[in-house]
Amino acid sequence: MRAPTSTIAPQDILGKVPTGISGLDEITRGGLPYGRPTLICGSAGCGKTIFGLEFLVNGIQEYNEPGIFLAFEETAGDLAKNVSSLGFDLRTLEETNKLIVDFVHIDRSQIAVAGAYDLEGLFIRLQSSVDAIGAKRVVVDTLETIFSGFDNPGLLRDEIRRLFRWFKERELTVIITAERGEGRLTRQGLEEYVSDCVIILDHRVIDQLSTRRLRVVKYRGSVHGTNEYPFLIDDHGISVLPLSALGLNHEVSDVRISSGVAELDEMLEGKGYYRGSTILVSGGAGSGKTSLSCILADATCRSGNRCLYFAFEESPAQIKRNMRSIGLNLEQWLDKGILQFHASRPSLHGLEMHLVQIMRLIGEFQPDLVILDPISNLISMGSAAEINSILVRLIDHLKTLQITTFFGNLTSDAASEATEIGISSLIDTWLLVRNIESGGERNRGLYVLKSRGMAHSNQIREFQLTDNGVHLQKVYLGPGGVLAGSQRLTQESKEKASALLLDQEINSQQMQLDRKRKAMEARVAVLQAELMAEEEELKRHILIKKAEQKQVSKDRSDMGQRRQGGADANFQAESKERPDHA
Amino acid sequence: MRDSAAEGPLDAEPGQPQEKFILRLYIAGQTPRSLTALANLRKICEEHLPGRYELEVVDLIMHPKRARTDQIMAIPTLVRSLPTPIARIIGDLSDSEQVLLGLNIQRKAVG
């Protein structure tokens, strides 16, 4: 027996061996039981072999634990070929003495039985392989095949029991795969022998869409997630979605990020969205959801952050082309590698598969912003309750990672506020784009239905897509509701016209006043002139009269002098004192 | 361990070519079952294939790698590599009827 490995735990605590399969180690709180066999059962094509191989390959590459793959079903060559698409290079691992793939060929037609036997050969084989590379992990795929090769079930059961004991004695962590049987976990009842850990893989097709699920049925001596977890097999191997372990204790951010539209930021306290918040934009067909998504993506990339865009409706090329028409150049961000598109048809696989894939890509790309456009297409894939639970888990996951999430949601206008998926409670900022139909036109009206933690605008703005981006115009409230589009323009020009009219009126009145004043002034001038003329006249008259008076008095004194000689001096004085006597 | 018998068609039957048998017996240590198998095999060979068989005994305890290269699961296993096709017989060979059937050897004498 070899020395205990680094993964061994103190005697009484159950040690665990990480599988390196993303998500599974979270569900099992650390991995498979150390030094014990684990049973993986499932029907054909559910991923048992890949599960086992990934356990071994990860063990070698990540934990430096060599492994043995005992294949009863596929030859080493077939196996290597089949899993090369997953990025597993079995040949290299074998050449470097980290892995032994031992194909056990059992062909009953070639075997005759003549007397008592046992399976000691298998044990010798295993022992020799374990010794050769110092294996710590073993996968037996699929053990039950021996029941078709030998016809002594009693003996086989004894030998299987002995094999499990043998594994435990050598503290090998083992995966045994088995076919699902009718009414029980495995065809031959292997679960009776494996008492430590049993995992079921399931591959079911609902509405013509396949979903893979994994469930830990039993894990003696350990807490484990008991739900059915969806998992995905793609070119990166297996990813399990460990969703429900998350709670509502994520951190929140006070940092604000621009929506990319100045007027929209203005509606959100002039600052935009919160980072790490969940934003939903819902609206009818052609209401500009994708444009809003792309503008946010553009703004995010412009500030140097990373954006991951899941498109469920359009191909990336089409989005790029369409966005050029509103003046967005997304190409530059794609070239820089800070924007990544991931387009797939929702019907490609089930909802859960999509989400597993989304989670995996998020893990790989480490974005600051995730856009899902539109989620309504995913919604068509399952029941409301299913979607709700999945989205809750996705949003929680993204919030924990402080990733801003932007969902587009296609709604029929009538039901736009009802959120058929019932995710409104998960949404922090909810924008609604409405088609406003009036005056023979359809125009878009955008408003902020809710936005947690900020004093947002309550206005409906007209949402315009132009050659140089998106603009939000204030709309007019008329008797028939809000006015938008050409009605708004009409209203605007009407207002302009009336303002002009008013201006003109004021001007003319001003002029009239001026004129009046001038007229009045002219009249005053005439009167004054008349007055002056009269004054002159009168003065002249006075002077004439005075002169006449003088002449009269002079004449009189002359006459007196002539009459009285020198005695008229007093008279002269007298007449000067009383000129009126003249 | 190699037993070779002298060549020679001792009991050739008409139409039955006198082929040489190359046999290999895999055992795991000198267990009673292994020894039984070996004894049974020797007896059958001497009886039915005198002088035209080669027998190799492989002890997997001594050569553990051969278990893998030679595809051995059950112990004891008898492999007939010639005449082709390759035939395998497992067990302690106590059932000589089955051994003869498995090796495709005609009975020497009936009754």
Side-chain angles (χ1 to χ4, degrees):
Chain A
M1 223 162 103
R2 285 163 302 99
T5 63
S6 57
T7 43
I8 194 166
Q11 215 68 57
D12 293 339
I13 299 169
L14 188 67
K16 292 195 180 175
V17 177
T19 59
I21 294 172
S22 85
L24 183 68
D25 293 341
E26 281 92 325
I27 296 168
T28 54
R29 313 272 167 104
L32 303 179
Y34 170 81
R36 285 157 192 273
T38 293
L39 183 68
I40 308 285
C41 43
S43 46
C46 70
K48 301 185 292 289
T49 304
I50 288 167
F51 189 104
L53 268 173
E54 198 171 343
F55 170 69
L56 288 185
V57 172
N58 289 340
I60 294 163
Q61 291 177 340
E62 291 171 36
Y63 307 102
N64 196 26
E65 296 192 349
I68 294 165
F69 193 89
L70 203 59
F72 285 89
E73 293 189 320
E74 287 174 281
T75 66
D78 285 348
L79 207 60
K81 235 178 278 171
N82 293 351
V83 297
S84 62
S85 61
L86 303 173
F88 298 160
D89 186 0
L90 299 187
R91 293 228 183 281
T92 308
L93 294 177
E94 279 190 282
E95 280 160 18
T96 52
N97 283 329
K98 295 286 181 194
L99 175 75
I100 290 178
V101 179
D102 184 359
F103 170 58
V104 181
H105 178 77
I106 297 176
D107 185 353
R108 193 163 181 172
S109 65
Q110 288 182 9
I111 299 174
V113 181
Y117 61 94
D118 57 30
L119 297 182
E120 185 62 27
L122 182 65
F123 290 85
I124 291 170
R125 236 164 133 151
L126 272 169
Q127 184 68 63
S128 132
S129 298
V130 168
D131 291 345
I133 57 169
K136 311 247 188 303
R137 301 181 177 207
V138 177
V139 173
V140 184
D141 179 54
T142 306
L143 186 58
E144 287 178 323
T145 313
I146 63 171
F147 283 93
S148 67
F150 303 97
D151 57 1
N152 187 344
L155 169 93
L156 290 174
R157 283 177 197 289
D158 286 347
E159 291 295 90
I160 287 171
R161 204 170 284 125
R162 182 157 74 101
L163 182 66
F164 289 165
R165 211 163 50 233
W166 188 91
F167 285 139
K168 282 189 187 177
E169 280 165 8
R170 281 158 185 78
E171 292 191 351
L172 293 166
T173 306
V174 183
I175 285 181
I176 313 277
T177 68
E179 286 273 318
R180 198 80 193 260
E182 293 278 326
R184 51 188 189 168
L185 294 179
T186 62
R187 283 199 187 145
Q188 302 293 343
L190 282 183
E191 61 271 25
E192 293 165 32
Y193 311 116
V194 181
S195 50
D196 298 295
C197 183
V198 179
I199 295 172
I200 293 181
L201 304 183
D202 185 25
H203 189 192
R204 67 187 90 143
V205 176
I206 303 161
D207 292 336
Q208 292 129 48
L209 289 170
S210 77
T211 309
R212 295 176 190 275
R213 286 168 214 255
L214 174 149
R215 186 159 75 95
V216 180
V217 182
K218 165 171 165 181
Y219 198 145
R220 182 173 288 175
S222 169
V223 188
H224 61 87
T226 51
N227 293 343
E228 276 195 317
Y229 299 92
F231 74 97
L232 178 73
I233 299 175
D234 60 10
D235 51 356
H236 293 69
I238 293 177
S239 319
V240 187
L241 197 60
L243 290 163
S244 53
L246 300 158
L248 268 180
N249 42 16
H250 38 256
E251 288 183 20
V252 294
S253 173
D254 286 333
V255 179
R256 304 290 277 263
I257 55 166
S258 168
S259 66
V261 182
E263 295 96 332
L264 181 55
D265 289 348
E266 201 181 287
M267 291 172 83
L268 302 165
E269 285 185 336
K271 297 171 188 163
Y273 311 120
Y274 278 114
R275 184 202 283 167
S277 66
T278 310
I279 305 140
L280 175 73
V281 56
S282 50
S287 55
K289 298 180 296 293
T290 303
S291 302
L292 273 176
S293 312
C294 288
I295 284 162
L296 178 60
D298 181 67
T300 302
C301 292
R302 202 171 289 282
S303 59
N305 291 319
R306 298 165 74 81
C307 172
L308 187 56
Y309 196 116
F310 292 96
F312 297 114
E313 237 173 22
E314 294 176 272
S315 72
Q318 192 178 327
I319 293 174
K320 275 185 277 173
R321 183 201 65 196
N322 294 351
M323 289 307 119
R324 273 199 293 276
S325 74
I326 59 163
L328 279 186
N329 176 12
L330 297 176
E331 206 82 47
Q332 50 179 329
W333 312 126
L334 285 166
D335 292 344
K336 275 192 178 173
I338 54 176
L339 172 66
Q340 191 178 311
F341 277 105
H342 190 87
S344 60
R345 276 280 168 207
S347 50
L348 189 65
H349 34 228
L351 178 72
E352 290 173 328
M353 290 296 101
H354 276 291
L355 284 149
V356 177
Q357 200 173 39
I358 289 167
M359 302 281 247
R360 212 206 60 224
L361 287 165
I362 287 167
E364 279 173 18
F365 189 69
Q366 301 285 323
D368 301 285
L369 168 72
V370 170
I371 294 171
L372 290 121
D373 178 46
I375 48 167
S376 32
N377 282 28
L378 289 179
I379 287 157
S380 59
M381 327 247 35
S383 74
E386 235 180 323
I387 287 136
N388 200 2
S389 83
I390 289 284
L391 281 179
V392 167
R393 292 186 274 180
L394 176 67
I395 288 171
D396 273 348
H397 181 66
L398 289 167
K399 284 207 160 177
T400 315
L401 296 174
Q402 290 267 302
I403 296 172
T404 313
T405 319
F406 192 94
F407 295 112
N409 185 26
L410 176 70
T411 54
S412 59
D413 264 10
S416 55
E417 280 187 44
T419 50
E420 54 263 62
I421 24 163
I423 59 164
S424 67
S425 63
L426 306 170
I427 302 297
D428 297 315
T429 298
W430 188 354
L431 308 177
L432 205 67
V433 184
R434 259 202 143 130
N435 283 317
I436 300 167
E437 214 173 312
S438 62
E441 290 185 345
R442 263 170 100 91
N443 291 296
R444 306 177 182 94
L446 182 144
Y447 61 97
V448 182
L449 195 73
K450 76 169 188 185
S451 193
R452 285 177 179 155
M454 60 179 92
H456 59 85
S457 160
N458 62 353
Q459 284 184 332
I460 297 184
R461 302 271 182 111
E462 187 181 342
F463 175 47
Q464 289 180 318
L465 294 169
T466 67
D467 294 347
N468 49 11
V470 161
H471 295 287
L472 296 173
Q473 301 284 352
K474 288 193 178 175
V475 291
Y476 283 84
L477 278 173
V482 288
L483 296 183
S486 55
Q487 283 191 322
R488 178 178 52 79
L489 289 176
T490 315
Q491 183 71 26
E492 269 176 351
S493 58
K494 256 189 211 165
E495 291 209 351
K496 254 187 210 158
S498 66
L500 200 66
L501 213 63
L502 204 63
D503 258 9
Q504 282 172 344
E505 230 168 88
I506 289 169
N507 272 345
S508 77
Q509 281 187 349
Q510 194 83 45
M511 274 159 70
Q512 216 175 338
L513 185 65
D514 281 355
R515 263 204 315 279
K516 266 194 179 164
R517 186 189 292 122
K518 273 180 191 156
M520 198 56 88
E521 277 169 0
R523 274 167 69 189
V524 168
V526 168
L527 283 173
Q528 267 178 338
E530 271 177 26
L531 181 68
M532 270 162 72
E534 258 173 73
E535 215 178 315
E536 287 293 313
E537 187 78 15
L538 285 170
K539 275 181 183 168
R540 205 160 45 93
H541 267 285
I542 290 169
L543 280 174
I544 292 168
K545 290 288 177 199
K546 273 189 179 169
E548 275 176 13
Q549 196 178 26
K550 230 181 188 171
Q551 196 60 48
V552 168
S553 78
K554 195 188 171 191
D555 287 353
R556 198 175 284 165
S557 85
D558 281 352
M559 222 173 345
Q561 272 179 354
R562 259 175 244 147
R563 264 190 226 157
Q564 298 168 358
D568 61 343
N570 292 333
F571 183 79
Q572 239 180 329
E574 257 182 21
S575 69
K576 268 181 191 169
E577 279 171 292
R578 298 195 313 217
D580 46 321
H581 280 225
Chain B
M1 226 183 210
R2 188 171 287 260
D3 285 18
S4 276
E7 290 175 31
L10 294 181
D11 50 345
E13 286 179 25
Q16 173 86 15
Q18 289 305 305
E19 286 164 302
K20 190 170 176 179
F21 279 71
I22 296 182
L23 305 173
R24 211 177 289 131
L25 181 68
Y26 294 87
I27 55 169
Q30 302 291 319
T31 60
R33 188 177 283 160
S34 301
L35 297 175
T36 310
L38 188 56
N40 285 336
L41 181 60
R42 283 237 173 86
K43 185 164 163 267
I44 291 165
C45 287
E46 284 306 320
E47 202 172 318
H48 298 278
L49 302 165
R52 55 186 186 101
Y53 72 95
E54 264 180 41
L55 175 63
E56 184 191 358
V57 178
V58 179
D59 188 345
L60 294 178
I61 299 292
M62 317 293 288
H63 309 282
K65 288 208 166 121
R66 290 196 67 172
R68 191 176 150 209
T69 52
D70 299 2
Q71 284 291 354
I72 303 305
M73 277 275 281
I75 294 292
T77 296
L78 174 65
V79 176
R80 182 198 70 186
S81 41
L82 271 177
T84 47
I86 292 169
R88 284 167 178 259
I89 300 164
I90 58 172
D92 61 9
L93 310 178
S94 52
D95 186 344
S96 50
E97 287 288 322
Q98 284 297 327
V99 178
L100 292 174
L101 210 63
L103 291 176
N104 199 14
I105 295 171
Q106 301 291 323
R107 280 193 153 279
K108 188 181 168 189
V110 182

